[in-house]
Amino acid sequence: MTTEEARLFFQKDKFATETTGIVIENVLENYSKCSLKICEKHMNAANSVMGGAIFTLADFSFAVASNTKDSLTVTASSTINYLGPAKGDSLISECT
């Protein structure tokens, strides 16, 4: 799957691509790089990037990387550990 093919396929994932605003930057076999420009809607009450926004970016990046072949893959379980607050104006997730 090319990067453009992935963008076309995953545009149907409205929560990740429209609501959250995640962009697929690059796709190779079993690899993806996605980004998220941080804006006010991603912030929590403590003025930090909401964990759900970060988790959505990681989950979406996994979905793109694991679906570069012909078969459809979904997660049954996933876990994330937050080591500290996100910094900067954008986040990047790379998945292999």
Side-chain angles (χ1 to χ4, degrees), residues 25-66:
E25 300 291 345
N26 192 19
V27 174
L28 302 169
E29 186 174 323
N30 300 316
Y31 168 85
S32 73
K33 180 178 181 179
C34 298
S35 66
L36 174 64
K37 183 176 164 95
I38 302 302
C39 59
E40 189 175 324
K41 69 181 176 181
H42 300 115
M43 306 307 278
N44 62 22
N47 203 36
S48 293
V49 179
M50 182 179 215
I54 298 168
F55 196 99
T56 300
L57 175 60
D59 182 65
F60 186 71
S61 186
F62 167 80
V64 175
S66 63

Side-chain angles (χ1 to χ4, degrees), residues 6-24:
R7 287 178 181 148
L8 287 172
F9 179 77
F10 282 100
Q11 74 184 3
K12 294 179 276 187
D13 189 328
K14 301 296 185 190
F15 183 74
T17 60
E18 289 182 13
T19 303
T20 308
I22 297 170
V23 174
I24 298 170

Side-chain angles (χ1 to χ4, degrees), residues 76-94:
S77 177
S78 58
T79 303
I80 192 167
N81 295 306
Y82 300 98
L83 303 176
K87 296 180 173 42
D89 60 356
S90 65
L91 298 176
I92 296 172
S93 174
E94 289 186 279

